[in-house]
């Protein structure tokens, strides 16, 4: 029987779940954990600040922001990425936030990373507010592509969800990124019951017409208000049913290769013509923890091995000390060795008994 995506298996040689990071075998290369998963996809948050207040992420009044000197500097960001690439086998980089466009030195950071790593895929997750003014510069600096959060095509609904009237600015940012060649552009959408859950088919049609790759993401318990409930979220099964009213969906034959989204080919209901693809990220109802390849570093330089982990391991202190790159790498390896089996626990089950929502919201962790 194959390994289920939702439940990574403990190997016979692995220490028990409560093992100390010091028990990690010294000879293991890269960012391997106790379940045999190896992280090669790095998510690096540049800031915890954001210019939106999306209800599934942040309270209306915002959050206490980190002080500027608490954030990793541009030089520290370049160094830690270099450690990941050269010493630990990182093969992809995603810059996240908060909202990374809030950082005034974003273009300089991308340019410095590209100079150090000519072949590294460097993506950016953004809400696209202000991207219209910087898309061309980011492309010239070496950014590969972008992911944009967009949950609806209705300005009023957007303002209700984001608590800011910036819908037109988001569209302008997406269009500028497309014109600059920052593709393939991926659109991330969270459907909220009773608010925008009926908007899915229109959003998919809009993306297909423009060649954008739409991905629906199940709402996760990472909201700062801690108002998430398992029964209140729109499930992946509901998304598929909703889309199937207008389109025919069939599984994409391409290997998922650790990607969080399950892809589907989208065809017209009447003529069966292939229109494109759509992805669904079912972190809650159809978890893929066994195949996770991600390692996350927060804006202040802490390793979070899992979005739902309650353990954080500091790298910033080492980066600002006399520590060598090898010492930083070892600390990072120790943090990933203790990656939880699933959802911050030794079993899957967001919303189940035993699950405790992390104190940090998504904006503070980095997507």
């Amino acid at each position: 029987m194959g390994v289920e995506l939702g439940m990574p298996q403990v190997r016979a040689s692995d220490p028990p779940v409560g093992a100390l990071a010091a028990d990690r075998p010294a000879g293991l290369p890269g960012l391997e954990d106790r379940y045999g998963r190896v992280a090669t996809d790095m998510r690096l948050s540049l800031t915890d600040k954001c210019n939106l207040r999306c209800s599934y992420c942040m309270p209306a009044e915002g959050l206490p922001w980190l002080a500027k000197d608490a954030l990793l500097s541009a030089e520290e960001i370049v160094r830690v990425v270099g450690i990941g690439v050269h010493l630990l086998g990182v093969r992809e980089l995603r810059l996240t936030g908060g909202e990374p466009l809030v950082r005034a030195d974003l273009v300089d950071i991308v340019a410095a990373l590209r100079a150090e790593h000519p072949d590294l895929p460097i993506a950016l997750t953004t809400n696209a507010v202000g991207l219209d003014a910087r898309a061309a510069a980011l492309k010239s600096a070496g950014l590969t592509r972008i992911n944009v959060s967009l949950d609806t095509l209705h300005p009023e609904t957007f303002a209700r969800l984001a608590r800011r009237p910036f819908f037109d600015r988001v569209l302008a940012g997406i269009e500028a990124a497309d014109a600059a060649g920052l593709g393939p552009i991926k659109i991330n959408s969270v459907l909220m019951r009773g608010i925008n859950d009926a908007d899915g088919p229109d959003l998919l049609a809009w993306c297909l017409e423009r060649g954008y790759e739409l991905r629906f993401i199940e709402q996760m318990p990472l909201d700062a208000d801690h108002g998430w409930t398992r029964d209140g979220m729109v499930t992946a099964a509901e998304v598929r049913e909703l889309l199937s009213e207008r389109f025919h969906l069939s599984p994409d034959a391409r290997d998922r290769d650790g990607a969080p989204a399950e892809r589907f080919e989208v065809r017209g209901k009447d003529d069966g013509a292939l229109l494109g693809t759509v992805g669904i990220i079912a972190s809650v109802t159809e978890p893929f923890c066994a195949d996770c390849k991600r390692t996350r570093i927060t804006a202040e330089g802490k390793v979070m091995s899992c979005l739902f982990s309650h353990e954080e391991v500091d790298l910033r202190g080492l980066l600002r000390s006399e520590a060598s790159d090898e010492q930083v790498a070892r600390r990072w390896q120790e943090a990933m060795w203790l990656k939880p089996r699933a959802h911050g626990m030794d079993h899957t089950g967001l919303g189940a008994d035993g699950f405790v929502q992390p104190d940090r919201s998504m904006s503070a962790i980095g997507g």
Side-chain angles (χ1 to χ4, degrees):
M1 180 179 295
V3 175
E4 296 179 6
L5 282 180
M7 290 298 291
Q9 304 298 303
V10 180
R11 298 173 301 174
S13 59
D14 283 340
V17 171
L20 297 175
D23 291 332
R24 183 188 189 279
L28 282 181
L31 295 170
E32 185 169 352
D33 64 32
R34 292 169 291 126
Y35 302 96
R37 299 169 296 191
V38 180
T40 57
D41 182 351
M42 179 179 179
R43 308 292 174 93
L44 175 61
S45 177
L46 301 183
T47 179
D48 59 329
K49 291 181 180 179
C50 188
N51 43 19
L52 300 183
R53 298 290 184 269
C54 297
S55 58
Y56 51 77
C57 180
M58 198 178 292
E61 66 276 12
L63 293 167
W65 308 128
L66 292 167
K68 184 176 180 179
D69 61 0
L71 302 175
L72 292 182
S73 67
E75 293 76 14
E76 290 164 344
I77 288 168
V78 173
R79 182 184 175 193
V80 77
V81 171
I83 292 170
V85 172
H86 297 306
L87 300 182
L88 298 173
V90 166
R91 298 200 299 265
E92 295 179 71
L93 174 64
R94 178 92 63 83
L95 302 176
T96 71
E99 173 46 55
L101 287 170
V102 170
R103 279 198 65 144
D105 57 352
L106 175 60
V107 173
D108 294 335
I109 290 172
V110 172
L113 290 169
R114 178 56 68 214
E116 292 287 329
H117 310 286
D119 301 319
L120 181 69
I122 305 175
L124 181 77
T125 295
T126 174
N127 61 32
V129 175
L131 183 59
D132 55 331
R134 303 174 79 180
L138 286 167
K139 176 65 176 179
S140 296
L143 188 66
T144 307
R145 63 171 187 83
I146 61 165
N147 286 27
V148 178
S149 299
L150 179 63
D151 303 315
T152 180
L153 295 175
H154 302 287
E156 299 82 4
T157 306
F158 178 94
R160 181 179 176 188
L161 282 168
R163 301 186 178 113
R164 295 290 187 274
F166 294 161
F167 176 73
D168 290 341
R169 297 180 64 183
V170 173
L171 292 191
I174 295 173
E175 291 169 0
D178 196 7
L182 288 171
I185 293 174
K186 295 185 178 180
I187 304 294
N188 296 336
S189 180
V190 178
L191 297 184
M192 302 286 286
R193 195 177 303 282
I195 302 176
N196 67 329
D197 49 339
D199 295 352
D202 287 341
L203 194 55
L204 177 55
W206 183 83
C207 288
L208 291 170
E209 289 170 2
R210 290 158 178 78
Y212 305 153
E213 298 183 13
L214 177 60
R215 304 189 304 175
F216 291 100
I217 304 174
E218 287 184 334
Q219 184 197 4
M220 291 179 283
L222 291 170
D223 58 309
D225 291 326
H226 287 212
W228 178 92
T229 64
R230 172 64 176 77
D231 294 336
M233 56 165 283
V234 178
T235 68
E238 290 176 293
V239 173
R240 290 192 292 267
E241 182 179 358
L242 179 68
L243 299 180
S244 295
E245 294 175 2
R246 189 185 305 183
F247 305 98
H248 176 72
L249 304 184
S250 59
D252 191 316
R254 289 175 293 177
D255 186 357
R256 192 164 169 177
D257 192 27
E262 181 180 7
R263 291 187 298 257
F264 296 87
E265 291 185 344
V266 182
R267 296 181 182 273
K269 274 278 193 176
D270 297 328
D271 58 8
L274 180 63
L275 303 175
T277 62
V278 65
I280 300 178
I281 300 177
S283 303
V284 179
T285 62
E286 300 165 16
F288 40 85
C289 303
D291 205 27
C292 181
K293 296 184 178 182
R294 283 160 292 288
T295 182
R296 287 178 170 82
I297 296 183
T298 67
E300 76 273 38
K302 293 185 178 181
V303 179
M304 288 196 69
S305 60
C306 170
L307 270 177
F308 301 97
S309 178
H310 295 276
E311 301 295 331
E312 301 178 7
V313 177
D314 180 55
L315 297 185
R316 186 186 63 192
L318 289 177
L319 293 170
R320 295 181 180 180
S321 71
E322 300 296 322
S324 66
D325 286 356
E326 288 74 18
Q327 288 172 312
V328 176
R330 177 65 183 180
R331 178 71 59 83
W332 194 345
Q333 287 178 314
E334 291 170 351
M336 293 303 296
W337 181 249
L338 292 183
K339 182 171 183 169
R341 194 177 196 186
H343 296 159
M345 306 176 290
D346 62 359
H347 61 279
T348 55
L350 292 178
D353 291 342
F355 173 74
V356 179
Q357 181 172 339
D359 290 333
R360 289 198 197 231
S361 67
M362 178 66 87
S363 64
I365 296 170

